[in-house]
Amino acid sequence: MRSVVNGFVVAIIVAIMVACGNTGRTVVVEDIESRVWSEPRDFFYDNSDTLALRDISIVVRYEGSRVADSVAMDILTISPDSLVYEEPFTLHIPRLADMRPDEHTFIYRRNVLLARPGRYLFRLTPHAPAEGIASMGIVVGGNAQTDN
């Protein structure tokens, strides 16, 4: 009887660990060798879950002394069925003296439903060359209201 109870407890713990550990997040980051972001950067996300709500964020690692207070860009999204959406977005770079390395995640969209299965393209294009950007990327997944 005791081994049955122990097995049941272990099964529950494993189920909880699997449920809590799977955040469903995808992070894609690219280094910018010259530390000047001037060209479009493409990031791909392969979607298989067409029912989950997700947050989409931009992550940037930068040199605080060299980067501007804000970096304007366009974000182009192309869905698997070739729908295209583009809009301007501005990164407002925080100045925190004790933050090393200088890295920040900027919320782009909350509670997004990617309704089509397949590959999504996110293209980030700066309006002007942005000095001090060491790397950047995109985070898709997780939901601030459901993540614990």
Side-chain angles (χ1 to χ4, degrees), residues 102-115:
D102 295 331
E103 183 174 297
H104 193 75
T105 301
F106 302 87
I107 299 294
Y108 168 56
R109 289 274 177 238
R110 289 197 185 274
N111 298 319
V112 174
L113 178 66
L114 300 176

Side-chain angles (χ1 to χ4, degrees), residues 27-40:
V27 180
V28 181
V29 178
E30 288 185 5
D31 288 336
I32 299 175
E33 297 300 326
S34 66
R35 301 286 200 258
V36 177
W37 178 39
S38 59
E39 298 294 321

